[in-house]
Amino acid sequence: MSNFKLDLFKFDLARAKKCYNKKQLAQKAGLSYDNLMKILSGKINLTATSLGKIAKALDVEPIELIQDEK
């Protein structure tokens, strides 16, 4: 199972481009605000499904939101 890590800087840039606050993004992505905040804080793992929903809501490819493996 893949363990995706959200790149918070890239995430915030994509969110800024769409002019969404976190509550608006959660609604557009079909996620609860609580779960979005847990994903952002690392309290729960980012699943492929959640990554896809967030990327779709932000009109970006999922790879644009994850940290580069180094």
Side-chain angles (χ1 to χ4, degrees), residues 3-64:
N3 190 14
F4 299 107
K5 290 261 188 210
L6 202 61
D7 184 312
L8 297 180
F9 182 73
K10 292 177 186 176
F11 168 80
D12 282 340
L13 283 177
R15 198 166 51 84
K17 185 177 177 185
K18 296 293 280 187
C19 300
Y20 290 158
N21 64 33
K22 289 174 184 162
K23 285 187 179 178
Q24 290 168 321
L25 174 60
Q27 184 177 22
K28 295 278 184 192
L31 299 170
S32 72
Y33 177 73
D34 188 48
N35 273 357
L36 177 62
M37 296 311 293
K38 286 178 182 175
I39 289 167
L40 295 177
S41 67
K43 290 184 175 148
I44 63 173
N45 286 333
L46 176 62
T47 64
T49 302
S50 294
L51 174 59
K53 288 179 176 183
I54 292 167
K56 188 173 184 179
L58 293 172
D59 281 329
V60 297
E61 291 298 318
I63 198 161
E64 295 178 53

